[in-house]
Amino acid sequence: SSYKNMKPTLSVSKPTCCFIKMSFVIEESFVKGKSLTSLCEDGWVATPDYVVVIDGATSKSDYRIDGVTTGRKAMEIISDEVQRLPSGISASEFVNIINERIIRYYKTNHILDLVERFPETRLTASVAVYCHSRNEVWLIGDCQCKVGECCFKNNKKIDSILSELRSFVLCSALRDGSSIKELQKRDIGREFIYPMLKRQYLWQNNLDDNSEYRYIVLDGFPVDYALIRIIPVGDRSVVLATDGYFDLYGTLQETEQALCLQIETDPLCIGIGCDKNNKSTKGVLPGNCSFDDRTYVRVSCF
């Protein structure tokens, strides 16, 4: 079927297969929240020229807007705006359009002063974008992709540092006799790094210096375009994903199997499982199915 007869797709919950247009096909898509009791902050949307995977940032405050987390609201706003994008825009133009929409939301809801003073209340998200007309993938924030056989991540340095620190705290507790289940119930490693997780906002879209700790996200505020990662595609398959996966593979089944094995062997996500490099700033809470929401979309390009 042709794309013209389809509605843009957002947040499907199981693998799907659909034709977008003659030159690229969405082979598989999957979205799953980490919790059964809270709304997923991940999503994806497709138009004739774009496939966009969106990761609403995990909130570091209790602030809610319209009854949902700031990450969820950011995902919803970006998903809606993507469906209006003109064809062929550049990565920097994409950022400007999305940020202008977020700023309008702040102004309409009279919270611009609040988000300027308290960055942790901003509507914040990362995205991985496949732009068909430019034959490129754009990583804005800490989403990831696989182009052909090459994987690309855009991790924040501060997350790598705090993941190591959390791992040290929890590994020390295990050595002292605590059990994995006890530490899942009360993640003292997460508690230890939490003040620093909140302070990372000092570096969010920071344009004042060239610090190695600064990072880019979509939150309505100006960005350093040099931090956008642009990857040429060619006639190759593309996987777009959020950071709810440690590793990406060529199919959803392989990627899910790898994640399940990692969680089974290391539910704390501190690098004691099948891959000791896979560490996170958070683990799998009791009753949750993973450490984070996750989205996987595989596109074949012709």
Side-chain angles (χ1 to χ4, degrees), residues 6-187:
M6 295 174 57
K7 294 181 179 180
T9 307
L10 172 63
S11 296
V12 298
S13 59
K14 61 182 181 179
T16 63
C17 179
C18 58
F19 284 93
I20 295 297
K21 53 195 285 190
M22 288 300 291
S23 50
F24 74 93
V25 176
I26 295 180
E27 303 283 2
E28 297 181 295
S29 63
F30 185 71
V31 179
K32 189 172 181 63
K34 61 181 179 289
S35 169
L36 297 176
T37 58
S38 59
L39 288 174
C40 179
E41 294 171 323
D42 275 12
W44 72 276
V45 62
T47 75
D49 197 29
Y50 305 98
V51 181
V52 183
V53 160
I54 310 160
D55 181 1
T58 301
S59 177
K60 306 299 187 301
S61 75
D62 295 327
Y63 181 69
R64 298 291 183 270
I65 190 161
D66 293 341
V68 299
T69 64
T70 52
R72 172 74 186 193
K73 179 55 66 174
M75 185 271 287
E76 292 174 352
I77 289 174
I78 294 169
S79 299
D80 182 65
E81 190 63 24
V82 164
Q83 298 172 44
R84 298 178 173 84
L85 290 178
S87 178
I89 61 175
S90 66
S92 59
E93 289 171 325
F94 173 92
V95 170
N96 292 342
I97 291 170
I98 297 299
N99 274 342
E100 286 171 5
R101 171 69 184 274
I102 295 174
I103 285 290
R104 289 201 305 272
Y105 185 89
Y106 293 153
K107 291 179 178 178
T108 300
N109 289 273
H110 311 291
I111 59 172
L112 181 58
D113 183 61
L114 173 71
V115 299
E116 285 179 333
R117 290 186 293 120
F118 302 102
E120 64 271 21
T121 63
R122 294 177 186 173
L123 309 185
T124 302
S126 299
V127 297
V129 181
Y130 167 63
C131 177
H132 169 63
S133 60
R134 287 180 174 263
N135 202 23
E136 295 174 340
V137 169
W138 310 329
L139 296 182
I140 304 165
D142 55 8
C143 285
Q144 56 182 319
C145 69
K146 187 174 188 289
V147 178
E149 297 303 315
C150 298
C151 293
F152 301 88
K153 295 188 177 184
N154 214 27
N155 296 337
K156 303 193 297 284
K157 182 164 186 178
I158 188 63
D159 278 350
S160 298
I161 293 171
L162 295 182
S163 295
E164 288 287 351
L165 184 53
R166 174 176 172 271
S167 176
F168 173 78
V169 171
L170 291 178
C171 285
S172 298
L174 290 172
R175 188 170 179 82
D176 280 342
S178 297
S179 70
I180 289 177
K181 288 187 176 181
E182 288 172 339
L183 296 174
Q184 282 185 273
K185 291 179 181 178
R186 184 189 172 190
D187 188 337

